[in-house]
Amino acid sequence: MIREGTAIILLGIALSGLAAEPPAEPPTARPRIGLVLGGGGALGMAHVGVLEALEELRVPVDCIAGTSMGAIIGGFYAAGMSPAEIGELLIALDWWDLLNDKTSREYLGFRRKQDDARYLFDAELGFRPPWRVLVPPGLSAGQKLGILMRRETTAVASVRDFDSLNVPFRAVATDLISGETVILGSGNLPMALRASMAVPGIFTPVELDGRLLVDGGVVNNVPVDAAKAMNTDIIIAVDVGALKAEAIKKNLSNFATVLAQSFLLMQRPSIQSRIKEADVLIQPDLTAHSAADFHHAAQIIPPGADATRAHAEELSKWSVSEEEYAAYLRKQRRSRQPPQHVAAVRVDGNHRVDERAIRAVIVTRPEEELDFGTVERDVARIHGMGDFQTVVYEVRPSTGGCDVVYTVQEKPWGPGYLHFGLRLESNLDDESAWQFLLNYTLTRINRLGAELRMDADVGSDQRADIEFYQPLNPSAAFFVAPRVGSSSSVLPVFEDDRKIASYDVNLTDAELAAGMNIRDMGELRFGAVGGYGTAELNSGAEELPEFDGVIAGFTGRFTVDRLDHPFFARKGSYFQASAFLSRPAIGAEENYDKVSAEYRQCATVGSHTLQLSLLGASSLGSDIPVYDRFTLGGLDTLAGLSRDQLAGQYAGLIQVAYRYELARLPPALGRGIYAILRQDAGNAWDARGDISLSDLRYSTGLALAADTGIGPCGIGFAIADRENHQFFFSVGTLF
């Protein structure tokens, strides 16, 4: 899901302006040509078109200096990518996902998957007793973008001197302490590119050689001086930040563009003075686009080529013969690295997190052939543990092959975190509910990775829970999890579709559970629970039984979660089976059993998604008290009926939902807008003999929903049994 943090990241980029033998010096018969690529957020993708046109004109580029997006494009070209390859990459990228640090759900550990549906946004606050709240240094650490940079510069991974790249290169950053321009000409190329686009407050700063570096566009958005320092004779500068008046007026209604334009206005005086030193100034006409239009790469690239071709007569002075240019391209284009074997796997940078826990999710092994896809999946799983701000890898030459080094940076605002959840529901008539969740999670309490999770949930229902989760080995394959909690809720009672009463249900209990994790897919746990509960009638039929006594029993739950999204899944499956066995032998007032199972499967073709859901529940022939029976009804089950309208000793439900993606939301708002059609069939029964397909209740619902920064939002209409109908809306997460 694209959340609010991703939207601000896009804004941040909009405010900012990517081993071979050293290439031979250009012949003395022609001048040394330097290319300067300025910053400008998504508008910087026009640099690809500039490179395309320069190649058409056979103008060799002897060195490149770039800032922010200009550094990314220039760095990719210097590493050996062709303009066509860079363009295809930018067009194919899912920018909504790329600029979001959140690990893809398939690589999250199971406990982090549980969190995925609970909390607003993806941002978290640090908390240290007694009352110290810590804010992350940036909304994004550029995790996925950094991995992309490493992937695309793999061919030059061993190069440390940027003069030895396929094309000599400089990335420009800013020293956050002194405010000075920092020209990066050596070191780790992906890290240099990451530093050049680290917008203060948006992306976290990068520490290199004792300096804290941020986006070069802060002080030097079109770095002509960096190219001149590389002994160039001719400077070709590309300025993508000079929006025309009509483009500015067109987008001033957009909050992001207003701030971006204000930032660019502050930069213009220094930019104007620098670009005067260029021999050729290329300013693409990007009137139709904004600096946040990353998903419009296919439309932004061509204006760069058009603007360059407009200077064809001037540039042709430096055109070389076909033979000479072919020789230049042979040096510029990257070559495939021969297969490498892994000599060792190392982990650096961890302090709180035990190295054994990290190694437990690493698949790459010594003496195997190096596979960069496997390495990247290792990085995703390490990042998915939830403890790290960034996780990067390096492939370092060593005796007998190469060392793969995973370098982690633990979250400086950890290990205690505050999270928030919100959910609102209404049938737009007489039924509504709201919940607000405040969560505090303290992680890495000991070397085995113990966690303390504390929930306070207020609203229509109230709940407080404290769980201590203690893994029994570094890989967390086995665990124990004691829990204490208290809850208060209202349970309606219906008869013949008419509400006849409601219970106030209060419970205080404690549970001791133990179990095992099934890799990152699921969990099996068993436990015993005991406590005290009451179920008192607060309205309606006085003849209904009440409860006041001890609750005790055995619990079990088996869960496998392979969905790629908690709410708008496109692929994967989900299964959960649970049981509660109330037993007087251990102190319970009642003797009964509750078992249930739920299954979901999703499949997608293009913009069309089909989801099948099944639910079954049984008392196993026992007599479940009226206040604890299985219930159906409400937005999630038989939406045309009221919440918990159907109740019984047995329940069954089948759902078939069709979802169509109508549009992608602007990154500032979320990810997508969907039309949803859902057909439900199910019922609840008091006796096994009553269960019959002819007794099913049916509900058809139609909704318009959106995947937004605060979770799923939807509004719709549902009708059940041709006579019960409801309009409804919902906002927020599940917890």
Side-chain angles (χ1 to χ4, degrees):
M1 141 183 330
I2 289 297
R3 310 271 189 176
E4 183 174 352
T6 302
I8 303 179
I9 292 166
L10 292 169
L11 166 60
I13 292 186
L15 299 183
S16 67
L18 140 126
E21 291 296 319
E25 290 294 318
T28 55
R30 71 171 181 84
R32 180 174 170 83
I33 299 172
L35 179 64
V36 178
L37 304 178
L43 301 179
M45 293 188 286
H47 295 316
V48 178
V50 173
L51 290 167
E52 287 178 351
L54 289 176
E55 290 197 350
E56 289 175 9
L57 297 169
R58 300 198 305 275
V59 176
V61 174
D62 299 304
C63 60
I64 300 174
T67 291
S68 198
M69 182 60 82
I72 294 175
I73 304 299
F76 283 176
Y77 190 77
M81 293 182 72
S82 70
E85 289 173 327
I86 301 172
E88 290 170 2
L89 173 68
L90 297 179
I91 292 170
L93 285 174
D94 183 347
W95 287 94
W96 282 267
D97 179 66
L98 184 68
L99 298 173
N100 176 13
D101 269 352
K102 185 175 180 180
T103 303
S104 297
R105 202 167 189 269
E106 62 184 307
Y107 300 117
L108 291 178
F110 181 70
R111 284 183 69 80
R112 302 291 79 86
K113 283 184 178 179
Q114 290 178 308
D115 294 342
D116 193 32
R118 286 164 50 90
Y119 306 136
L120 290 173
F121 319 122
D122 295 321
E124 62 190 1
L125 299 176
F127 181 79
R128 292 178 186 169
W131 301 108
R132 187 182 177 194
V133 176
L134 303 176
V135 179
L139 290 173
S140 172
Q143 171 68 23
K144 292 180 182 176
L145 191 57
I147 295 302
L148 171 73
M149 295 172 184
R150 289 177 185 274
R151 180 193 313 145
E152 301 304 330
T153 60
T154 296
V156 295
S158 62
V159 176
R160 289 297 179 265
D161 180 357
F162 295 173
D163 282 335
S164 297
L165 292 169
N166 299 33
V167 177
F169 172 71
R170 299 291 184 271
V172 176
T174 302
D175 188 314
L176 183 60
I177 307 302
S178 68
E180 298 174 344
T181 294
V182 178
I183 298 175
L184 301 171
S186 62
N188 181 279
L189 178 60
M191 194 62 71
L193 304 184
R194 167 69 177 83
S196 185
M197 47 72 71
V199 182
I202 306 301
F203 287 105
T204 53
V206 174
E207 186 173 353
L208 285 177
D209 301 325
R211 290 176 180 249
L212 205 58
L213 303 182
V214 295
D215 194 289
V218 173
V219 295
N220 195 349
N221 202 41
V222 186
V224 173
D225 53 336
K228 290 178 72 70
M230 300 173 76
N231 300 316
T232 53
D233 300 304
I234 300 297
I235 297 291
I236 301 172
V238 186
D239 176 18
V240 297
L243 288 176
K244 293 185 177 182
E246 54 265 37
I248 299 171
K249 292 177 181 178
K250 173 185 174 182
N251 293 299
L252 279 183
S253 59
N254 182 296
F255 175 72
T257 309
V258 170
L259 289 184
Q261 179 61 17
S262 300
F263 187 83
L264 291 173
L265 284 174
M266 291 187 290
Q267 290 180 325
R268 291 316 293 177
S270 63
I271 292 175
Q272 294 291 355
S273 64
R274 294 178 191 276
I275 61 180
K276 289 179 181 178
E277 301 180 44
D279 296 280
V280 177
L281 176 62
I282 299 173
Q283 293 180 308
D285 181 1
L286 299 168
T287 303
H289 308 286
S290 78
D293 285 344
F294 290 90
H295 53 301
H296 291 164
Q299 292 76 43
I300 292 175
I301 291 172
D306 295 339
T308 306
R309 295 185 188 108
H311 291 270
E313 184 176 350
E314 189 175 5
L315 293 168
S316 64
K317 296 183 293 185
W318 304 302
S319 179
V320 299
S321 68
E322 291 185 7
E323 294 77 11
E324 187 175 347
Y325 199 74
Y328 163 79
L329 288 181
R330 284 195 294 272
K331 294 179 181 296
Q332 184 274 324
R333 294 296 194 257
R334 61 184 173 185
S335 57
R336 291 185 176 273
Q337 289 187 319
Q340 303 180 71
H341 280 79
V342 179
V345 176
R346 292 165 45 197
V347 175
D348 287 342
N350 58 303
H351 302 288
R352 294 190 298 262
V353 184
D354 193 296
E355 182 175 324
R356 295 173 298 174
I358 300 173
R359 287 187 175 275
V361 301
I362 294 175
V363 175
T364 299
R365 296 286 183 267
E367 301 183 3
E368 294 182 352
E369 185 173 311
L370 176 65
D371 183 280
F372 283 98
T374 300
V375 172
E376 288 191 15
R377 288 188 288 273
D378 288 341
V379 168
R381 282 188 291 268
I382 297 170
H383 194 257
M385 295 170 68
D387 301 285
F388 306 112
Q389 179 172 284
T390 59
V391 181
V392 299
Y393 71 88
E394 280 191 79
V395 177
R396 299 175 183 171
S398 69
T399 303
C402 64
D403 290 350
V404 179
V405 183
Y406 299 93
T407 301
V408 301
Q409 181 184 12
E410 294 174 343
K411 294 176 179 177
W413 59 95
Y417 307 101
L418 291 176
H419 304 98
F420 308 92
L422 174 69
R423 184 163 178 84
L424 306 174
E425 290 184 5
S426 175
N427 65 0
L428 303 182
D429 189 7
D430 59 351
E431 186 176 301
S432 62
W434 69 275
Q435 299 295 139
F436 177 77
L437 170 68
L438 173 63
N439 165 267
Y440 171 67
T441 300
L442 179 62
T443 64
R444 301 297 163 183
I445 295 174
N446 54 39
R447 299 304 291 179
L448 291 179
E451 287 186 9
L452 177 67
R453 176 184 284 175
M454 304 172 67
D455 284 350
D457 180 1
V458 298
S460 303
D461 299 329
Q462 287 77 43
R463 178 180 62 89
D465 263 337
I466 301 176
E467 181 192 61
F468 185 79
Y469 175 84
Q470 176 63 69
L472 300 180
N473 61 337
S475 67
F478 301 95
F479 64 88
V480 293
R483 178 194 61 83
V484 296
S486 179
S487 64
S488 175
S489 60
V490 176
L491 177 68
V493 179
F494 289 81
E495 185 176 275
D496 296 328
D497 293 337
R498 182 175 60 87
K499 183 178 177 180
I500 62 170
S502 64
Y503 281 98
D504 286 330
V505 181
N506 298 283
L507 174 65
T508 299
D509 66 348
E511 179 182 17
L512 178 61
M516 63 180 291
N517 285 302
I518 307 166
R519 295 167 49 189
D520 55 3
M521 296 186 301
E523 174 189 270
L524 173 65
R525 68 162 64 196
F526 297 97
V529 62
Y532 186 83
T534 63
E536 300 176 347
L537 287 166
N538 68 15
S539 65
E542 297 181 356
E543 67 275 11
L544 291 173
E546 295 187 332
F547 176 81
D548 187 336
V550 175
I551 293 174
F554 301 102
T555 61
R557 187 170 70 237
F558 173 60
T559 308
V560 176
D561 184 351
R562 306 193 71 177
L563 296 175
D564 65 346
H565 194 288
F567 303 111
F568 298 99
R570 292 175 56 83
K571 63 179 181 179
S573 61
Y574 177 91
F575 175 78
Q576 183 175 85
S578 60
F580 173 66
L581 310 179
S582 178
R583 290 294 180 265
I586 57 174
E589 300 282 341
E590 305 279 359
N591 182 29
Y592 64 93
D593 301 329
K594 293 182 67 175
V595 296
S596 63
E598 176 187 0
Y599 176 75
R600 277 178 278 163
Q601 179 72 52
C602 299
T604 297
V605 177
S607 299
H608 307 271
T609 299
L610 193 65
Q611 176 173 302
L612 172 67
S613 300
L614 302 172
L615 172 68
S618 171
S619 66
L620 301 181
S622 64
D623 186 17
I624 303 174
V626 65
Y627 47 80
D628 202 22
R629 293 179 301 174
F630 299 111
T631 62
L632 296 175
L635 296 186
D636 298 324
T637 59
L638 292 166
L641 303 179
S642 296
R643 179 185 176 191
D644 300 328
Q645 183 170 331
L646 305 180
Q649 306 287 329
Y650 302 87
L653 178 73
I654 180 171
Q655 288 181 345
V656 179
Y658 166 75
R659 186 174 73 245
Y660 177 72
E661 185 179 270
L662 295 170
R664 283 287 186 96
L665 279 171
L669 298 178
R671 189 176 183 90
I673 300 176
Y674 308 94
I676 301 174
L677 176 64
R678 196 181 85 195
Q679 179 66 55
D680 299 358
N683 207 344
W685 300 273
D686 280 326
R688 183 182 301 173
D690 295 337
I691 300 174
S692 170
L693 293 178
S694 62
D695 194 33
L696 292 179
R697 306 285 297 269
Y698 295 91
S699 173
T700 303
L702 181 64
L704 184 67
D707 186 1
T708 75
I710 60 172
C713 299
I715 185 168
F717 173 80
I719 184 168
D721 303 325
R722 300 183 180 181
E723 54 187 39
N724 296 291
H725 63 273
Q726 297 196 70
F727 290 93
F728 61 85
F729 83 90
S730 67
V731 176
T733 55
L734 298 175
F735 42 87

